Amino acid sequence: MLPLVTAVAEFFVVIAVSLAAVLLNTIDARGFLASATVGFAVVYGGGFQWFVIVAVFFILGVAFTLYKYGYKRKLGGAQGKGGARNWPHILANGGVASMAAVWNFFFPGPVVTAVFLGAISAAAADTAATELGLLSHGMPRLITNPSKTVPPGTSGGVSPLGFVGAAFASLVIGALAIPLGILADPYLLIPVALVGGVFGAVVDSLIGAVVQRKGYCVVCLKPTEALKHCGERTRATKGSPFVENNAVNVLATVAGAAASTALLLAVYAV
Ligand SMILES: [Zn+2]
């Protein structure tokens, strides 16, 4: 196809996928803008193969969120609005991958591909770990102090099921990347995705346990990690006031990108 025809076709694919996400109630209007921005950066910077990976990450996230949604809702750990993601959440999960795509536009190569794959795997792994972890039968344990159990949904809480979810989601991303051929060495894709995903999820839990803002609602007095509850700003009691869930997600995708890149460089160095 002519480059212009391809570019126009890709434009409409990004719009169509983002619009489908709105119609399926998984994102709102601002989420549409955020999702289209990430989509354009990825499709024009990384290519259609990269976009397919981001789209599958998004579908995986929705699937994990809606899986036993009613049960998670009762636990109080479910994402609000039928699992709909808002724009800061989309940018927090897709920001590092988008920047990698912009970088790839100017300087393509295996290193930036590993950065992208690690960031997406970490985002996918963290979503899967959080959503599957909520279904765990035993109480999650604090990653910094495993003898202590915490309520499901608490940042920094980990469970075997959550770990399986993290590994599974990054495996899916790595396996999907093989037929898409985003690296000249396809045998590296699964290990690179797996390392980035699992490391990102672990870093997410560590930051969640140690630095993340925790507090309580001034209206209903329930403990919460959200900035707002019952329509009022919550009061912080622990952690850094600036590090809420989206900031943790950004740091986790950076960690995943770094781990994947380190593995790729280590293999190339041998
Ligand atoms: Zn409240």
Side-chain angles (χ1 to χ4, degrees):
M1 264 199 287
L2 287 164
L4 183 66
V5 176
T6 310
V8 171
E10 285 169 344
F11 178 89
F12 284 109
V13 169
V14 170
I15 294 293
V17 171
S18 304
L19 209 54
V22 175
L23 294 176
L24 292 170
N25 244 336
T26 53
I27 55 176
D28 56 17
R30 284 182 195 161
F32 171 81
L33 288 179
S35 145
T37 304
V38 169
F40 289 138
V42 168
V43 84
Y44 293 128
F48 197 70
Q49 289 85 347
W50 284 32
F51 179 73
V52 171
I53 292 176
V54 173
V56 168
F57 151 66
F58 190 76
I59 294 166
L60 264 182
V62 171
F64 273 115
T65 303
L66 294 184
Y67 181 62
K68 303 208 171 157
Y69 184 77
Y71 173 75
K72 289 186 277 196
R73 172 134 228 157
K74 260 189 267 164
L75 274 179
Q79 300 280 340
K81 292 182 272 179
R85 304 311 210 205
N86 55 13
W87 67 268
H89 185 90
I90 293 166
L91 293 185
N93 278 296
V96 173
S98 303
M99 281 189 264
V102 172
W103 173 13
N104 186 73
F105 182 83
F106 297 104
F107 312 105
V111 171
V112 68
T113 304
V115 169
F116 167 77
L117 202 60
I120 288 292
S121 297
D126 176 44
T127 306
T130 305
E131 295 296 335
L132 266 192
L134 286 173
L135 302 174
S136 212
H137 284 299
M139 291 286 270
R141 290 174 179 279
L142 204 58
I143 191 167
T144 46
N145 179 9
S147 62
K148 197 178 163 196
T149 56
V150 288
T154 307
S155 288
V158 292
S159 62
L161 200 58
F163 189 82
V164 169
F168 173 76
S170 22
L171 256 179
V172 170
I173 297 291
L176 169 77
I178 295 174
L180 292 171
I182 64 167
L183 264 187
D185 305 296
Y187 67 93
L188 282 176
L189 286 165
I190 286 186
V192 163
L194 203 55
V195 161
V198 171
F199 186 72
V202 168
V203 167
D204 190 286
S205 297
L206 282 173
I207 300 175
V210 181
V211 211
Q212 186 169 345
R213 179 188 191 275
K214 297 187 177 67
Y216 65 92
C217 172
V218 292
V219 180
C220 71
L221 301 178
K222 274 187 191 158
T224 174
E225 296 175 355
L227 289 175
K228 270 189 165 183
H229 204 268
C230 300
E232 293 290 329
R233 216 183 138 75
T234 56
R235 192 155 299 160
T237 50
K238 221 181 117 206
S240 161
F242 306 106
V243 183
E244 43 65 69
N245 191 252
N246 289 322
V248 177
N249 279 344
V250 173
L251 295 171
T253 55
V254 169
S260 291
T261 308
L263 177 67
L264 185 91
L265 292 176
V267 172
Y268 283 172
V270 176

